[in-house]
Amino acid sequence: MAGFRPSIPGLNALRPEAFGVDPGGARMARIRRSPHFKDGVFQNPGGPASIRPSGSMLDFAKHYFDKDERVRRSPRGNIPVHATTFADLARPAASGLRLTWLGHSSVLVEIDGHRVLFDPVWGERCSPFPFAGPRRLHPVPLPLAALGPVDVVVISHDHYDHLDLPTIKALAATDTLFAVPLGVGAHLEHWGVAADRLRELDWHEATKVGGLTLTATPARHFCGRGLRNTQHTLWASWVVAGDEHRVYHSGDTGYFDGFRDIGADHGPFDATMIQLGAYSDFWPEGQPDAGPLPGAWPDIHMNPTQGVQSHLDLQQGRAEGVMLPIHWGTFNLALHPWSEPAEWALAAADAVGQALALPIPGRPFEPAGELPALPWWRDVSQSAHARRWPAPELGLRTARGLDLLAED
């Protein structure tokens, strides 16, 4: 990880707006006081996380440019999208909790009479440039303006597929509040969000928004938007607790023991939104003795077995609540087949009796009601995924205990 580097005025003048800005002044002073900031950078729980691909770059290139592999990384035909309507969202949730997955990690959570929008990305590409970078594989389910007012927008970290410049600029014109990890507020202020609308939190800090309590909780990831990465903005998962319901959004994270602590402090959860896409054998491996699992043990992302295991850990080893897989299906960000995360997650959840929601983008559901579980992705998948998947374990045990290996 890179430490502090002084800015260069001439280069800053050429800096694209989407790069945002580095924290400074009182914000940087607060960052330096954080117990999670050491040696000039934010630190991950469990020790440093490698953020560069492992293995041979030649092998990576062979996989990346292989014609058959590239075909499988995209859907066949159009991904089904539910055109979310005003009628879908106008009536109150009968149970008091309703989730609408809008693609990737963007989720609208209606909880105990409040509306929370996680990691909203309405842009066409997750990139600083409109002409390059990963492009959406399906349209957004509804225009941002049609979403209606939200009480708070929650950002997990500052990567382009979670913090989207055009979306933030549109939301800056509203009166919504923003809850962000420490340092990320610098980007938002630069893009027009007033400082008094920011709730900028370190891990384990909480803020009240109406009847909700939002808590920033640890995650194992990294940050950065520009050509250099100063590691001066924090990444986080989030707990949102209302009068009757509790939900958890993982942001991006590798698997780590901290899920159990988060569950003990803030759970149990009625619903979790868990990242389980964009894994690969070429992402960094945090457990060198993990064995030949596909995409095993990444430092900064989870595969579906780890994702289901993290949900079980959050629920103190019990298959309770509902898990919504996120961070898959919308952007092509890794080498695995497009629909593999859903197929693998379904098998992993079934193996332990965990309730899983797999809606098409834009279709609202209530965790206490009938869950969307039809494997809709199979109709547009290039791959059959006829294999056994490794299963998570019930009880308070880490994912290193897996003894089922994937078979072709």
Side-chain angles (χ1 to χ4, degrees):
M1 294 182 180
F4 174 76
R5 300 175 187 173
S7 61
I8 303 173
L11 294 180
N12 286 343
L14 300 175
R15 184 185 180 104
E17 185 181 19
F19 279 9
V21 295
D22 295 332
R27 179 175 278 112
M28 192 64 218
R30 184 183 168 202
I31 288 170
R32 291 193 180 102
R33 293 194 299 269
S34 168
H36 311 109
F37 192 78
K38 182 181 178 183
D39 298 329
V41 297
F42 278 112
Q43 304 290 322
N44 265 302
S50 178
I51 61 176
R52 293 179 173 85
S54 61
S56 163
M57 289 304 297
L58 178 59
D59 289 341
F60 177 88
K62 286 179 180 178
H63 279 266
Y64 185 82
F65 290 108
D66 181 87
K67 183 173 66 174
D68 293 335
E69 293 291 334
R70 294 188 73 178
V71 166
R72 286 193 285 269
R73 292 200 295 270
S74 296
R76 172 174 50 85
N78 295 326
I79 297 172
V81 173
H82 176 77
T84 316
T85 65
F86 178 78
D88 288 328
L89 304 176
R91 64 182 185 278
S95 64
L97 179 64
R98 181 166 59 208
L99 278 62
T100 306
W101 180 51
L102 299 160
H104 201 57
S105 297
S106 303
V107 186
L108 174 67
V109 175
E110 298 166 275
I111 175 171
D112 298 339
H114 299 82
R115 306 178 90 221
V116 183
L117 183 60
F118 287 96
D119 284 356
V121 175
W122 259 253
E124 186 65 19
R125 296 182 187 271
C126 49
S127 166
F129 309 108
F131 53 85
R135 193 170 188 172
R136 301 186 70 92
L137 298 175
H138 66 79
V140 290
L142 80 169
L144 185 59
L147 189 65
V150 296
D151 295 286
V152 58
V153 174
V154 178
I155 303 296
S156 64
H157 63 295
D158 71 357
H159 286 159
Y160 290 99
D161 57 323
H162 297 261
L163 181 62
D164 178 56
L165 170 61
T167 305
I168 296 300
K169 283 200 153 190
L171 291 166
T174 70
D175 60 359
T176 188
L177 299 175
F178 291 81
V180 302
L182 187 56
V184 175
H187 298 312
L188 272 63
E189 283 192 56
H190 182 62
W191 297 333
V193 177
D196 62 1
R197 288 166 53 199
L198 288 173
R199 309 290 177 85
E200 197 166 346
L201 306 183
D202 201 348
W203 290 340
H204 309 299
E205 292 182 342
T207 187
K208 298 281 283 188
V209 176
L212 302 178
T213 300
L214 289 80
T215 306
T217 46
R220 187 167 172 78
H221 200 57
F222 68 112
C223 64
R225 294 180 72 86
L227 297 177
R228 63 191 181 95
N229 188 354
T230 61
Q231 295 294 312
H232 287 172
T233 66
L234 189 59
W235 46 96
S237 57
W238 288 88
V239 171
V240 177
D243 293 335
E244 301 292 335
H245 296 92
R246 292 171 177 264
V247 299
Y248 170 85
H249 189 285
S250 70
D252 277 2
T253 181
Y255 181 83
F256 70 118
D257 288 345
F259 293 114
R260 288 172 284 176
D261 297 328
I262 294 169
D265 292 341
H266 302 284
F269 300 101
D270 300 282
T272 66
M273 296 152 274
I274 304 290
Q275 171 270 313
L276 47 65
Y279 51 86
S280 171
D281 289 329
F282 293 97
W283 283 92
E285 293 181 357
Q287 306 288 350
D289 58 346
L293 299 181
W297 322 119
D299 252 359
I300 53 173
H301 283 163
M302 291 189 290
N303 67 37
T305 293
Q306 294 167 316
V308 175
Q309 185 71 56
S310 72
H311 173 94
L312 298 176
D313 290 356
L314 288 162
Q315 303 290 53
Q316 299 301 283
R318 296 180 288 272
E320 297 178 347
V322 173
M323 175 181 159
L324 171 66
I326 59 173
H327 203 267
W328 78 279
T330 302
F331 297 105
N332 186 344
L333 301 178
L335 300 183
H336 59 67
W338 167 76
S339 60
E340 185 180 276
E343 202 71 48
W344 186 350
L346 183 61
D350 282 349
V352 293
Q354 174 58 51
L356 201 68
L358 285 161
I360 65 172
R363 177 157 301 184
F365 71 93
E366 298 193 28
E370 183 179 355
L371 298 181
L374 291 176
W376 55 267
W377 56 89
R378 291 176 184 169
D379 293 337
V380 289
S381 175
Q382 305 277 9
S383 304
H385 306 307
R387 62 191 307 166
R388 284 180 60 206
W389 300 108
E393 293 189 358
L394 289 168
L396 289 178
R397 303 170 69 177
T398 71
R400 286 189 72 182
L402 299 178
D403 56 9
L404 279 173
L405 300 183
E407 297 178 355
D408 290 329

Short mmCIF file of all heavy atoms in Angstrom, two decimals, residues 267-322:
data_model
loop_
_atom_site.label_atom_id
_atom_site.label_comp_id
_atom_site.label_asym_id
_atom_site.label_seq_id
_atom_site.Cartn_x
_atom_site.Cartn_y
_atom_site.Cartn_z
N GLY A 267 -26.35 -8.21 15.46
CA GLY A 267 -27.38 -9.11 14.94
C GLY A 267 -28.38 -9.54 15.99
O GLY A 267 -28.36 -9.02 17.11
N PRO A 268 -29.23 -10.50 15.64
CA PRO A 268 -29.33 -11.15 14.34
C PRO A 268 -30.01 -10.24 13.32
O PRO A 268 -30.64 -9.24 13.69
CB PRO A 268 -30.18 -12.39 14.63
CG PRO A 268 -31.04 -11.97 15.78
CD PRO A 268 -30.19 -11.06 16.61
N PHE A 269 -29.88 -10.60 12.03
CA PHE A 269 -30.38 -9.76 10.94
C PHE A 269 -31.57 -10.42 10.25
O PHE A 269 -31.59 -11.62 10.03
CB PHE A 269 -29.25 -9.50 9.94
CG PHE A 269 -28.07 -8.80 10.54
CD1 PHE A 269 -26.93 -9.50 10.90
CD2 PHE A 269 -28.12 -7.44 10.78
CE1 PHE A 269 -25.85 -8.86 11.46
CE2 PHE A 269 -27.04 -6.77 11.35
CZ PHE A 269 -25.91 -7.48 11.71
N ASP A 270 -32.53 -9.58 9.91
CA ASP A 270 -33.66 -10.07 9.11
C ASP A 270 -33.23 -10.35 7.68
O ASP A 270 -33.78 -11.23 7.02
CB ASP A 270 -34.79 -9.04 9.12
CG ASP A 270 -35.30 -8.78 10.52
OD1 ASP A 270 -36.06 -9.61 11.04
OD2 ASP A 270 -34.91 -7.75 11.12
N ALA A 271 -32.26 -9.57 7.19
CA ALA A 271 -31.75 -9.76 5.83
C ALA A 271 -30.32 -9.30 5.77
O ALA A 271 -29.93 -8.32 6.43
CB ALA A 271 -32.60 -9.00 4.82
N THR A 272 -29.52 -10.00 4.98
CA THR A 272 -28.16 -9.56 4.69
C THR A 272 -28.01 -9.43 3.19
O THR A 272 -28.62 -10.16 2.41
CB THR A 272 -27.10 -10.55 5.22
OG1 THR A 272 -27.21 -11.79 4.49
CG2 THR A 272 -27.27 -10.81 6.70
N MET A 273 -27.20 -8.47 2.77
CA MET A 273 -26.85 -8.27 1.37
C MET A 273 -25.36 -8.54 1.27
O MET A 273 -24.55 -7.78 1.79
CB MET A 273 -27.19 -6.84 0.95
CG MET A 273 -28.69 -6.54 1.00
SD MET A 273 -29.07 -4.78 1.30
CE MET A 273 -29.04 -4.73 3.11
N ILE A 274 -24.99 -9.65 0.63
CA ILE A 274 -23.63 -10.18 0.71
C ILE A 274 -22.97 -10.21 -0.65
O ILE A 274 -23.50 -10.79 -1.60
CB ILE A 274 -23.63 -11.59 1.31
CG1 ILE A 274 -24.30 -11.61 2.68
CG2 ILE A 274 -22.22 -12.14 1.38
CD1 ILE A 274 -23.53 -10.91 3.77
N GLN A 275 -21.77 -9.63 -0.74
CA GLN A 275 -20.97 -9.64 -1.97
C GLN A 275 -20.44 -11.05 -2.21
O GLN A 275 -19.81 -11.64 -1.33
CB GLN A 275 -19.81 -8.65 -1.85
CG GLN A 275 -18.78 -8.73 -2.97
CD GLN A 275 -17.66 -9.69 -2.66
OE1 GLN A 275 -17.09 -9.67 -1.59
NE2 GLN A 275 -17.34 -10.55 -3.62
N LEU A 276 -20.68 -11.58 -3.41
CA LEU A 276 -20.13 -12.91 -3.72
C LEU A 276 -19.81 -13.06 -5.20
O LEU A 276 -19.71 -14.18 -5.70
CB LEU A 276 -21.08 -14.02 -3.25
CG LEU A 276 -22.57 -13.93 -3.56
CD1 LEU A 276 -22.87 -14.02 -5.03
CD2 LEU A 276 -23.32 -15.03 -2.80
N GLY A 277 -19.60 -11.97 -5.91
CA GLY A 277 -19.17 -12.04 -7.30
C GLY A 277 -17.81 -11.40 -7.47
O GLY A 277 -17.25 -10.81 -6.54
N ALA A 278 -17.26 -11.50 -8.68
CA ALA A 278 -15.96 -10.93 -9.04
C ALA A 278 -14.82 -11.58 -8.26
O ALA A 278 -13.91 -10.91 -7.78
CB ALA A 278 -15.94 -9.42 -8.86
N TYR A 279 -14.88 -12.88 -8.12
CA TYR A 279 -13.79 -13.66 -7.56
C TYR A 279 -13.06 -14.34 -8.73
O TYR A 279 -13.58 -14.44 -9.84
CB TYR A 279 -14.33 -14.74 -6.61
CG TYR A 279 -15.42 -15.57 -7.24
CD1 TYR A 279 -15.12 -16.69 -8.02
CD2 TYR A 279 -16.75 -15.21 -7.09
CE1 TYR A 279 -16.12 -17.41 -8.64
CE2 TYR A 279 -17.76 -15.94 -7.70
CZ TYR A 279 -17.44 -17.04 -8.48
OH TYR A 279 -18.43 -17.75 -9.09
N SER A 280 -11.85 -14.80 -8.49
CA SER A 280 -11.09 -15.47 -9.54
C SER A 280 -9.85 -16.09 -8.95
O SER A 280 -9.34 -15.65 -7.92
CB SER A 280 -10.68 -14.48 -10.64
OG SER A 280 -9.77 -15.09 -11.55
N ASP A 281 -9.35 -17.14 -9.61
CA ASP A 281 -8.07 -17.72 -9.20
C ASP A 281 -6.95 -16.69 -9.28
O ASP A 281 -5.91 -16.85 -8.66
CB ASP A 281 -7.71 -18.90 -10.10
CG ASP A 281 -8.61 -20.10 -9.83
OD1 ASP A 281 -9.04 -20.25 -8.68
OD2 ASP A 281 -8.87 -20.87 -10.76
N PHE A 282 -7.15 -15.63 -10.07
CA PHE A 282 -6.09 -14.64 -10.26
C PHE A 282 -6.20 -13.48 -9.30
O PHE A 282 -5.35 -12.61 -9.28
CB PHE A 282 -6.10 -14.14 -11.70
CG PHE A 282 -5.70 -15.21 -12.67
CD1 PHE A 282 -6.68 -15.94 -13.35
CD2 PHE A 282 -4.37 -15.52 -12.88
CE1 PHE A 282 -6.32 -16.94 -14.22
CE2 PHE A 282 -4.01 -16.51 -13.77
CZ PHE A 282 -4.99 -17.23 -14.45
N TRP A 283 -7.29 -13.44 -8.47
CA TRP A 283 -7.32 -12.46 -7.40
C TRP A 283 -6.45 -12.97 -6.27
O TRP A 283 -6.22 -14.17 -6.15
CB TRP A 283 -8.75 -12.22 -6.91
CG TRP A 283 -9.51 -11.36 -7.83
CD1 TRP A 283 -10.29 -11.75 -8.87
CD2 TRP A 283 -9.56 -9.93 -7.83
NE1 TRP A 283 -10.81 -10.67 -9.51
CE2 TRP A 283 -10.39 -9.54 -8.90
CE3 TRP A 283 -8.97 -8.94 -7.04
CZ2 TRP A 283 -10.64 -8.21 -9.20
CZ3 TRP A 283 -9.23 -7.62 -7.33
CH2 TRP A 283 -10.06 -7.26 -8.39
N PRO A 284 -5.97 -12.08 -5.42
CA PRO A 284 -5.02 -12.50 -4.38
C PRO A 284 -5.60 -13.59 -3.49
O PRO A 284 -6.77 -13.57 -3.14
CB PRO A 284 -4.78 -11.21 -3.60
CG PRO A 284 -5.12 -10.12 -4.54
CD PRO A 284 -6.22 -10.64 -5.40
N GLU A 285 -4.76 -14.53 -3.10
CA GLU A 285 -5.17 -15.61 -2.23
C GLU A 285 -4.67 -15.33 -0.82
O GLU A 285 -3.48 -15.12 -0.59
CB GLU A 285 -4.63 -16.94 -2.71
CG GLU A 285 -5.24 -17.38 -4.04
CD GLU A 285 -4.72 -18.71 -4.50
OE1 GLU A 285 -3.85 -19.27 -3.83
OE2 GLU A 285 -5.19 -19.18 -5.54
N GLY A 286 -5.58 -15.32 0.15
CA GLY A 286 -5.21 -15.04 1.52
C GLY A 286 -4.87 -16.29 2.31
O GLY A 286 -4.34 -16.20 3.41
N GLN A 287 -5.22 -17.48 1.79
CA GLN A 287 -4.95 -18.72 2.51
C GLN A 287 -4.18 -19.66 1.58
O GLN A 287 -4.77 -20.36 0.77
CB GLN A 287 -6.27 -19.38 2.95
CG GLN A 287 -7.18 -18.46 3.75
CD GLN A 287 -6.64 -18.22 5.14
OE1 GLN A 287 -5.68 -18.88 5.57
NE2 GLN A 287 -7.21 -17.29 5.85
N PRO A 288 -2.87 -19.70 1.66
CA PRO A 288 -2.09 -20.48 0.69
C PRO A 288 -2.35 -21.97 0.76
O PRO A 288 -2.07 -22.69 -0.20
CB PRO A 288 -0.64 -20.16 1.07
CG PRO A 288 -0.69 -19.69 2.48
CD PRO A 288 -2.01 -19.00 2.62
N ASP A 289 -2.90 -22.48 1.87
CA ASP A 289 -3.15 -23.91 1.97
C ASP A 289 -4.62 -24.25 1.78
O ASP A 289 -5.10 -25.28 2.22
CB ASP A 289 -2.68 -24.43 3.34
CG ASP A 289 -3.37 -23.73 4.50
OD1 ASP A 289 -4.01 -22.68 4.26
OD2 ASP A 289 -3.27 -24.23 5.64
N ALA A 290 -5.35 -23.38 1.10
CA ALA A 290 -6.80 -23.55 1.02
C ALA A 290 -7.22 -24.68 0.10
O ALA A 290 -8.32 -25.18 0.21
CB ALA A 290 -7.44 -22.25 0.52
N GLY A 291 -6.37 -25.10 -0.82
CA GLY A 291 -6.76 -26.18 -1.71
C GLY A 291 -7.32 -25.66 -3.01
O GLY A 291 -7.48 -24.46 -3.22
N PRO A 292 -7.66 -26.56 -3.93
CA PRO A 292 -8.01 -26.16 -5.29
C PRO A 292 -9.46 -25.75 -5.48
O PRO A 292 -10.15 -26.25 -6.35
CB PRO A 292 -7.69 -27.45 -6.08
CG PRO A 292 -7.99 -28.55 -5.12
CD PRO A 292 -7.58 -28.03 -3.77
N LEU A 293 -9.97 -24.89 -4.64
CA LEU A 293 -11.31 -24.36 -4.85
C LEU A 293 -11.25 -23.27 -5.90
O LEU A 293 -10.33 -22.45 -5.90
CB LEU A 293 -11.88 -23.77 -3.56
CG LEU A 293 -12.05 -24.72 -2.38
CD1 LEU A 293 -12.64 -23.97 -1.21
CD2 LEU A 293 -12.91 -25.90 -2.75
N PRO A 294 -12.24 -23.20 -6.81
CA PRO A 294 -12.21 -22.14 -7.81
C PRO A 294 -12.38 -20.78 -7.16
O PRO A 294 -13.31 -20.54 -6.40
CB PRO A 294 -13.40 -22.48 -8.72
CG PRO A 294 -14.29 -23.34 -7.89
CD PRO A 294 -13.42 -24.07 -6.93
N GLY A 295 -11.43 -19.89 -7.42
CA GLY A 295 -11.51 -18.56 -6.83
C GLY A 295 -11.32 -18.59 -5.33
O GLY A 295 -11.90 -17.79 -4.61
N ALA A 296 -10.54 -19.52 -4.82
CA ALA A 296 -10.49 -19.75 -3.38
C ALA A 296 -9.78 -18.63 -2.63
O ALA A 296 -8.75 -18.13 -3.06
CB ALA A 296 -9.79 -21.08 -3.10
N TRP A 297 -10.36 -18.24 -1.51
CA TRP A 297 -9.75 -17.42 -0.49
C TRP A 297 -9.19 -16.09 -0.98
O TRP A 297 -8.05 -15.73 -0.68
CB TRP A 297 -8.64 -18.22 0.22
CG TRP A 297 -9.00 -19.65 0.40
CD1 TRP A 297 -8.35 -20.72 -0.10
CD2 TRP A 297 -10.13 -20.16 1.12
NE1 TRP A 297 -9.00 -21.87 0.25
CE2 TRP A 297 -10.10 -21.57 1.00
CE3 TRP A 297 -11.18 -19.58 1.82
CZ2 TRP A 297 -11.05 -22.39 1.56
CZ3 TRP A 297 -12.14 -20.40 2.38
CH2 TRP A 297 -12.06 -21.78 2.25
N PRO A 298 -9.94 -15.33 -1.73
CA PRO A 298 -9.43 -14.02 -2.12
C PRO A 298 -9.34 -13.12 -0.90
O PRO A 298 -10.16 -13.20 0.01
CB PRO A 298 -10.48 -13.52 -3.12
CG PRO A 298 -11.74 -14.25 -2.75
CD PRO A 298 -11.30 -15.58 -2.22
N ASP A 299 -8.35 -12.25 -0.91
CA ASP A 299 -8.17 -11.31 0.18
C ASP A 299 -9.24 -10.23 0.19
O ASP A 299 -9.54 -9.66 1.24
CB ASP A 299 -6.81 -10.63 0.03
CG ASP A 299 -5.81 -11.11 1.07
OD1 ASP A 299 -6.19 -11.93 1.92
OD2 ASP A 299 -4.66 -10.64 1.04
N ILE A 300 -9.80 -9.89 -0.95
CA ILE A 300 -10.60 -8.66 -1.05
C ILE A 300 -12.02 -8.87 -1.58
O ILE A 300 -12.82 -7.94 -1.57
CB ILE A 300 -9.88 -7.63 -1.93
CG1 ILE A 300 -9.52 -8.25 -3.28
CG2 ILE A 300 -8.65 -7.08 -1.22
CD1 ILE A 300 -8.94 -7.28 -4.29
N HIS A 301 -12.34 -10.07 -2.07
CA HIS A 301 -13.68 -10.42 -2.50
C HIS A 301 -13.99 -11.83 -1.99
O HIS A 301 -13.08 -12.60 -1.68
CB HIS A 301 -13.83 -10.42 -4.03
CG HIS A 301 -13.93 -9.07 -4.63
ND1 HIS A 301 -13.72 -8.84 -5.98
CD2 HIS A 301 -14.22 -7.85 -4.11
CE1 HIS A 301 -13.86 -7.56 -6.25
NE2 HIS A 301 -14.17 -6.93 -5.13
N MET A 302 -15.28 -12.17 -1.93
CA MET A 302 -15.67 -13.51 -1.51
C MET A 302 -16.26 -14.29 -2.68
O MET A 302 -16.94 -13.72 -3.54
CB MET A 302 -16.71 -13.45 -0.39
CG MET A 302 -16.15 -12.92 0.92
SD MET A 302 -17.32 -13.09 2.30
CE MET A 302 -18.57 -11.87 1.86
N ASN A 303 -16.02 -15.60 -2.67
CA ASN A 303 -16.76 -16.46 -3.58
C ASN A 303 -18.08 -16.85 -2.90
O ASN A 303 -18.30 -16.55 -1.72
CB ASN A 303 -15.91 -17.66 -4.00
CG ASN A 303 -15.61 -18.62 -2.87
OD1 ASN A 303 -16.43 -18.88 -2.00
ND2 ASN A 303 -14.40 -19.19 -2.88
N PRO A 304 -19.00 -17.52 -3.60
CA PRO A 304 -20.32 -17.77 -3.01
C PRO A 304 -20.30 -18.64 -1.75
O PRO A 304 -21.12 -18.41 -0.85
CB PRO A 304 -21.08 -18.45 -4.16
CG PRO A 304 -20.49 -17.83 -5.39
CD PRO A 304 -19.02 -17.74 -5.08
N THR A 305 -19.42 -19.63 -1.66
CA THR A 305 -19.35 -20.40 -0.43
C THR A 305 -18.97 -19.51 0.74
O THR A 305 -19.56 -19.57 1.82
CB THR A 305 -18.35 -21.57 -0.57
OG1 THR A 305 -18.86 -22.50 -1.53
CG2 THR A 305 -18.15 -22.28 0.76
N GLN A 306 -17.98 -18.66 0.53
CA GLN A 306 -17.58 -17.74 1.59
C GLN A 306 -18.69 -16.74 1.90
O GLN A 306 -18.88 -16.35 3.05
CB GLN A 306 -16.30 -17.01 1.17
CG GLN A 306 -15.10 -17.92 1.04
CD GLN A 306 -13.94 -17.23 0.33
OE1 GLN A 306 -14.13 -16.56 -0.68
NE2 GLN A 306 -12.75 -17.41 0.85
N GLY A 307 -19.43 -16.33 0.86
CA GLY A 307 -20.53 -15.41 1.08
C GLY A 307 -21.60 -16.01 1.97
O GLY A 307 -22.08 -15.37 2.93
N VAL A 308 -22.00 -17.26 1.69
CA VAL A 308 -22.99 -17.92 2.54
C VAL A 308 -22.41 -18.15 3.93
O VAL A 308 -23.10 -17.98 4.94
CB VAL A 308 -23.45 -19.25 1.90
CG1 VAL A 308 -24.39 -20.00 2.84
CG2 VAL A 308 -24.16 -18.97 0.57
N GLN A 309 -21.14 -18.52 4.00
CA GLN A 309 -20.51 -18.70 5.31
C GLN A 309 -20.52 -17.40 6.11
O GLN A 309 -20.76 -17.41 7.32
CB GLN A 309 -19.07 -19.19 5.14
CG GLN A 309 -18.38 -19.54 6.45
CD GLN A 309 -18.95 -20.80 7.07
OE1 GLN A 309 -18.96 -21.86 6.44
NE2 GLN A 309 -19.40 -20.72 8.31
N SER A 310 -20.27 -16.28 5.45
CA SER A 310 -20.28 -15.01 6.17
C SER A 310 -21.67 -14.72 6.73
O SER A 310 -21.79 -14.20 7.85
CB SER A 310 -19.81 -13.87 5.26
OG SER A 310 -20.79 -13.55 4.28
N HIS A 311 -22.73 -15.05 5.97
CA HIS A 311 -24.09 -14.87 6.49
C HIS A 311 -24.31 -15.73 7.73
O HIS A 311 -24.86 -15.25 8.74
CB HIS A 311 -25.12 -15.22 5.41
CG HIS A 311 -26.52 -15.22 5.91
ND1 HIS A 311 -27.35 -14.12 5.82
CD2 HIS A 311 -27.26 -16.19 6.54
CE1 HIS A 311 -28.53 -14.41 6.37
NE2 HIS A 311 -28.49 -15.66 6.79
N LEU A 312 -23.88 -16.99 7.68
CA LEU A 312 -24.02 -17.86 8.84
C LEU A 312 -23.26 -17.31 10.04
O LEU A 312 -23.74 -17.35 11.18
CB LEU A 312 -23.52 -19.26 8.50
CG LEU A 312 -24.27 -20.01 7.38
CD1 LEU A 312 -23.59 -21.34 7.10
CD2 LEU A 312 -25.74 -20.22 7.72
N ASP A 313 -22.06 -16.79 9.80
CA ASP A 313 -21.28 -16.20 10.89
C ASP A 313 -22.00 -14.99 11.49
O ASP A 313 -22.05 -14.82 12.71
CB ASP A 313 -19.90 -15.77 10.38
CG ASP A 313 -18.99 -16.94 10.06
OD1 ASP A 313 -19.39 -18.10 10.29
OD2 ASP A 313 -17.88 -16.69 9.55
N LEU A 314 -22.56 -14.15 10.62
CA LEU A 314 -23.29 -12.98 11.10
C LEU A 314 -24.49 -13.39 11.96
O LEU A 314 -24.88 -12.68 12.88
CB LEU A 314 -23.77 -12.15 9.91
CG LEU A 314 -22.71 -11.37 9.15
CD1 LEU A 314 -23.22 -10.97 7.77
CD2 LEU A 314 -22.27 -10.12 9.93
N GLN A 315 -25.07 -14.55 11.64
CA GLN A 315 -26.23 -15.05 12.38
C GLN A 315 -25.83 -16.02 13.48
O GLN A 315 -26.63 -16.81 13.96
CB GLN A 315 -27.20 -15.74 11.40
CG GLN A 315 -27.68 -14.86 10.25
CD GLN A 315 -28.62 -13.76 10.70
OE1 GLN A 315 -28.31 -12.98 11.59
NE2 GLN A 315 -29.78 -13.68 10.07
N GLN A 316 -24.54 -15.95 13.87
CA GLN A 316 -24.02 -16.76 14.97
C GLN A 316 -24.17 -18.26 14.70
O GLN A 316 -24.52 -19.05 15.58
CB GLN A 316 -24.69 -16.38 16.28
CG GLN A 316 -24.46 -14.92 16.69
CD GLN A 316 -22.97 -14.59 16.83
OE1 GLN A 316 -22.35 -14.96 17.83
NE2 GLN A 316 -22.39 -13.92 15.86
N GLY A 317 -23.88 -18.64 13.46
CA GLY A 317 -23.83 -20.05 13.09
C GLY A 317 -25.15 -20.67 12.73
O GLY A 317 -25.21 -21.88 12.49
N ARG A 318 -26.20 -19.86 12.66
CA ARG A 318 -27.53 -20.41 12.37
C ARG A 318 -28.00 -19.97 10.99
O ARG A 318 -27.76 -18.85 10.57
CB ARG A 318 -28.53 -19.94 13.43
CG ARG A 318 -28.21 -20.46 14.83
CD ARG A 318 -29.23 -19.97 15.85
NE ARG A 318 -29.08 -18.56 16.12
CZ ARG A 318 -28.28 -18.04 17.05
NH1 ARG A 318 -27.53 -18.84 17.79
NH2 ARG A 318 -28.20 -16.74 17.24
N ALA A 319 -28.70 -20.86 10.31
CA ALA A 319 -29.27 -20.56 9.00
C ALA A 319 -30.59 -19.83 9.23
O ALA A 319 -31.67 -20.42 9.16
CB ALA A 319 -29.47 -21.82 8.18
N GLU A 320 -30.50 -18.54 9.51
CA GLU A 320 -31.67 -17.72 9.81
C GLU A 320 -31.64 -16.46 8.97
O GLU A 320 -30.61 -16.09 8.40
CB GLU A 320 -31.69 -17.34 11.30
CG GLU A 320 -31.82 -18.53 12.25
CD GLU A 320 -31.79 -18.11 13.70
OE1 GLU A 320 -31.43 -16.96 13.98
OE2 GLU A 320 -32.13 -18.95 14.56
N GLY A 321 -32.77 -15.77 8.91
CA GLY A 321 -32.85 -14.57 8.10
C GLY A 321 -32.77 -14.92 6.62
O GLY A 321 -32.76 -16.09 6.23
N VAL A 322 -32.72 -13.90 5.80
CA VAL A 322 -32.67 -14.08 4.34
C VAL A 322 -31.39 -13.44 3.81
O VAL A 322 -31.02 -12.33 4.24
CB VAL A 322 -33.89 -13.44 3.66
CG1 VAL A 322 -33.76 -13.47 2.14
CG2 VAL A 322 -35.17 -14.17 4.10
#
